[in-house]
Amino acid sequence: MHALQRLWHHARAYRRDIRLATLYSALNKLFDILPEVLIGVAVDSVVNRGDALLGRLGLPDVKHQLLLLGALTIAIWVCESLFEYLYSLKWRGLAQALQHDLRLEAYDHVQHLDLGWFEERSTGNLLAILNDDINQLERFLNGGANQIIQVFCSSLLVGLVFFVLTPQIAVLALVPVPFILYGAFFFQRRLAPRYAAVREQAGRVNGRLNNNILGVATIKAFTAEDYELDRIRAESDAYREANHAAIAWSAAITPVIRMAIMAGFVATLVYGGWLTLDGELAVGAYSVLVFLTQRLLWPLTGLAEITDLYQRSMASIDRVLGLLETPVRSAGGRTPLPRAAVRGELEFDDVSFAYGTQPVLEHVTLRIPAGHTVAFVGNTGSGKTTLARLLLRFFEIERGAIRLDGRDIRELDLRDLRHAIGFVSQDSFLTEGTVADNIAYGSFGASRAAIVAAAQAAEAHEFIERLPQGYDTAIGERGQKLSGGQRQRLALARAILKDAPILVLDEATSAVDNETEAAIQHSLEQMVVGRTTLLIAHRLSTVRHADRICVLERGRIVEAGTHEQLLARGGSYAALWRLQTGERGGAPQPA
């Protein structure tokens, strides 16, 4: 389906506004053309006096004819100005409303796509769609749509006047129009793939810039500024070349159209003049035809600009609607899950999962009683974090099932499921705002007292109090004004404030110093009481008090037990413990 048809089907709520805007554009063009007709009538009145058209209609006095024509001209100009105001208001308002709703709809849709989709996409390209491509649609609706309608109406109305006055000249004047339209469509078909390539390359440039800005500290540390400048230059050159390929075709449209216009205008000027000299055409009619030939054909020179804007917009519309049509894989179930009713018993039943063709988890079976703390340890890539992601349904299980209180989580309402889980990731996300805003993220109605209590439990209160405005201190984009440890403590405070029956801590203390880690560990000991907790960690000192510790290797649980049991077994866990603590023996150490 063509991009414009896709947009029409998608913008159902705006169809009435589109029809009104189209009507205003058409009426504006009607009143825009009428003054040329009145000029012809005025010339006819002055030259032929009583034999003029108005005289034959019952108004013999030429001065009265001119007064009437003056009054009609004023009325027509008022109407033309009114409808110009109305179409401008309607098209611009439509552009703002549609781009606003489309951006929100696209962003909302993106939020519901699973994490696997994001891992296969460039962030910069996604930002280009949500910003540049939607803005391109806005530019088209602001002016391009009205231009297309008015060119069509102008051709139709002027052609009608021509055939009423003198059909033979009408044919001559209109002969170039099919060639002009064919030329416009000819160029349009060749511009479409080129502008699609331009939009794709714009996304690559955005992606490279976004990646480099986020990694500017690393670039500086490795003095790679020149290297990265060369990479940006290469992407920008490719973008420039893609634009050049499109411009080479779009720039040729106007000269071709101008030659066709010249042929039509000369035909009307010369042949119409001959007919007037031979007495077959009135002077006033000849004046109208000369004026209207220019009004008919000259606006067609704008087809170059219109075609260019149109093709850029269609390429952008295809990208935006293509994003909106991306299927949401992880659709939530319908079974409600009131948080107060959640006990927190979890069961992983023969769970297997792979990223693409790379297996990550294989036949994981585990039961976690409600209120117990279970830790997952193992080398990088062993599947620890993937278990947490599957529980939160960031990804869909490929084989097996995960059950919460005996119910398959795929049957549960997705929002209810996630409301029941407090999550702290090793990559702490902070939003631009104040310290208090970030702690209360997800618990937006929390009181200041609750926020402070959560910060105290996460051992964050002391450093927050030292900030310039305390809890009201703005922390910058992604919390860049804070250290890694401070960011992680705010993320932990956020999970504590949520007070969910299930807690998932994925390397929650990896970015804090030993002293702070010890303090947080003391707080966590109080926090995990009465709730099911999953601890994912590399540092075994943070999990030694767990009710059960599971050791993962290559996606399988190879050992499980308490800290003392695993040390006594002398297996993988004991080897990791000795490696981290420097102990030579495998005997259990006092807790």
Side-chain angles (χ1 to χ4, degrees):
M1 186 184 294
H2 190 273
L4 203 56
Q5 289 176 293
R6 294 172 71 191
L7 181 63
W8 174 255
H9 285 295
H10 190 79
R12 291 184 180 88
Y14 295 98
R15 288 182 181 177
R16 180 177 178 275
D17 288 331
I18 293 172
R19 292 189 182 101
L20 277 175
T22 302
L23 176 64
Y24 296 153
S25 293
L27 289 173
N28 169 259
K29 181 50 62 177
L30 170 65
F31 288 109
D32 182 49
I33 287 172
L34 285 179
E36 272 75 8
V37 176
L38 293 184
I39 289 173
V41 175
V43 171
D44 184 45
S45 294
V46 171
V47 173
N48 296 318
R49 297 180 181 274
D51 293 331
L53 174 64
L54 291 180
R56 294 195 298 273
L57 292 176
L59 194 65
D61 189 287
V62 176
K63 291 184 179 179
H64 289 168
Q65 292 177 17
L66 294 176
L67 286 173
L68 175 62
L69 291 172
L72 287 174
T73 299
I74 292 172
I76 288 169
W77 277 67
V78 168
C79 290
E80 179 194 357
S81 300
L82 172 64
F83 285 111
E84 181 176 0
Y85 168 75
L86 290 175
Y87 84 63
S88 179
L89 195 67
K90 186 60 73 174
W91 280 119
R92 291 184 181 184
L94 184 64
Q96 293 301 315
L98 188 55
Q99 65 90 17
H100 170 74
D101 286 353
L102 204 57
R103 180 177 286 113
L104 290 182
E105 185 180 355
Y107 175 70
D108 183 56
H109 184 76
V110 164
Q111 288 190 115
H112 290 86
L113 296 173
D114 62 275
L115 286 184
W117 184 88
F118 288 93
E119 292 176 354
E120 298 171 1
R121 300 296 187 283
S122 160
T123 302
N125 191 48
L126 183 57
L127 289 174
I129 294 174
L130 294 175
N131 283 308
D132 297 346
D133 287 321
I134 290 179
N135 288 341
Q136 192 68 47
L137 168 64
E138 178 192 357
R139 286 190 285 272
F140 172 69
L141 291 176
N142 268 337
N146 174 68
Q147 288 178 284
I148 291 173
I149 293 167
Q150 293 211 327
V151 166
F152 173 78
C153 291
S154 176
S155 301
L156 188 65
L157 292 170
V158 173
L160 180 64
V161 173
F162 270 40
F163 277 104
V164 169
L165 293 177
T166 172
Q168 59 266 44
I169 293 183
V171 171
L172 286 175
L174 294 174
V175 161
V177 173
F179 294 98
I180 292 171
L181 295 177
Y182 173 78
F185 286 115
F186 173 83
F187 283 105
Q188 176 186 311
R189 286 193 297 272
R190 281 149 184 79
L191 280 170
R194 288 167 173 81
Y195 277 129
V198 167
R199 298 312 311 153
E200 287 297 325
Q201 191 57 43
R204 293 192 192 94
V205 173
N206 277 0
R208 179 67 64 190
L209 289 170
N210 180 71
N211 186 70
N212 286 10
I213 289 171
L214 290 176
V216 68
T218 301
I219 293 172
K220 288 178 175 294
F222 285 86
T223 61
E225 291 91 343
D226 292 340
Y227 172 75
E228 290 299 341
L229 178 61
D230 287 339
R231 297 176 78 185
I232 294 296
R233 182 181 291 112
E235 294 288 5
S236 188
D237 280 341
Y239 176 63
R240 182 177 60 181
E241 290 304 318
N243 264 304
H244 280 172
I247 291 169
W249 282 91
S250 65
I253 302 176
T254 298
V256 171
I257 291 176
R258 286 173 69 91
M259 297 305 294
I261 289 171
M262 178 196 68
F265 184 75
V266 169
T268 303
L269 185 69
V270 174
Y271 186 61
W274 289 348
L275 292 179
T276 304
L277 290 173
D278 292 340
E280 297 181 28
L281 184 66
V283 174
Y286 177 58
S287 302
V288 172
L289 291 175
V290 172
F291 278 118
L292 288 184
T293 301
Q294 187 176 16
R295 294 302 301 271
L296 167 66
L297 299 177
W298 195 252
L300 295 177
T301 59
L303 282 176
E305 180 184 347
I306 295 171
T307 301
D308 187 78
L309 180 59
Y310 175 79
Q311 283 305 333
R312 287 179 183 269
S313 302
M314 294 307 104
S316 293
I317 289 170
D318 271 330
R319 280 161 54 84
V320 174
L321 296 182
L323 175 62
L324 281 169
E325 291 163 6
T326 303
V328 177
R329 299 179 198 170
S330 56
R334 297 182 178 275
T335 305
L337 183 68
R339 192 162 81 167
V342 176
R343 292 184 293 108
E345 179 183 305
L346 293 172
E347 181 184 359
F348 294 82
D349 183 6
D350 195 31
V351 173
S352 295
F353 182 78
Y355 292 114
T357 59
Q358 180 64 41
V360 180
L361 294 174
E362 296 186 56
H363 308 292
V364 173
T365 297
L366 175 68
R367 180 179 173 276
I368 304 174
H372 279 224
T373 298
V374 175
F376 297 92
V377 300
N379 295 325
T380 300
S382 60
K384 306 183 301 295
T385 295
T386 301
L387 281 173
R389 290 182 168 190
L390 292 178
L391 175 61
L392 283 155
R393 291 194 62 200
F394 292 159
F395 298 93
E396 289 301 322
I397 303 167
E398 295 172 354
R399 179 178 175 181
I402 300 177
R403 299 184 183 91
L404 171 59
D405 295 338
R407 290 179 291 183
D408 192 318
I409 61 172
R410 288 170 292 196
E411 300 172 359
L412 302 174
D413 180 88
L414 186 57
R415 292 179 63 86
D416 285 354
L417 172 67
R418 291 175 180 169
H419 277 310
I421 301 172
F423 178 60
V424 180
S425 168
Q426 54 188 309
D427 181 20
S428 303
F429 167 76
L430 297 181
T431 185
E432 189 171 7
T434 67
V435 170
D437 292 337
N438 277 276
I439 295 176
Y441 192 83
S443 305
F444 301 106
S447 66
R448 177 57 64 95
I451 292 171
V452 172
Q456 289 171 335
E459 299 295 327
H461 179 72
E462 186 177 339
F463 90 78
I464 294 173
E465 287 290 283
R466 292 197 300 266
L467 295 174
Q469 283 83 42
Y471 284 84
D472 296 315
T473 301
I475 60 174
E477 185 180 14
R478 297 178 64 86
Q480 61 188 358
K481 294 181 179 179
L482 303 178
S483 69
Q486 290 172 334
R487 288 196 294 270
Q488 202 152 19
R489 276 181 275 175
L490 290 190
L492 185 59
R494 177 191 298 163
I496 292 171
L497 180 62
K498 188 176 182 180
D499 194 29
I502 300 172
L503 183 63
V504 178
L505 303 176
D506 185 2
E507 298 289 352
T509 60
S510 62
V512 299
D513 55 56
N514 291 332
E515 183 180 351
T516 304
E517 180 188 353
I520 291 176
Q521 282 295 116
H522 177 71
S523 298
L524 288 177
E525 289 175 11
Q526 309 303 316
M527 182 182 174
V528 300
V529 174
R531 76 185 76 235
T532 305
T533 306
L534 277 65
L535 295 176
I536 298 167
H538 280 98
R539 285 193 224 170
L540 301 188
S541 60
T542 63
V543 303
R544 59 185 298 180
H545 297 293
D547 297 314
R548 194 177 189 190
I549 301 171
C550 299
V551 183
L552 277 82
E553 290 182 3
R554 297 180 180 179
R556 294 177 179 269
I557 297 178
V558 295
E559 287 184 331
T562 65
H563 173 74
E564 290 77 13
Q565 289 170 342
L566 292 175
L567 285 182
R569 191 173 298 172
S572 298
Y573 181 84
L576 284 172
W577 179 262
R578 290 194 299 269
L579 182 66
Q580 292 188 16
T581 62
E583 296 177 5
R584 296 183 179 274
Q589 301 299 314

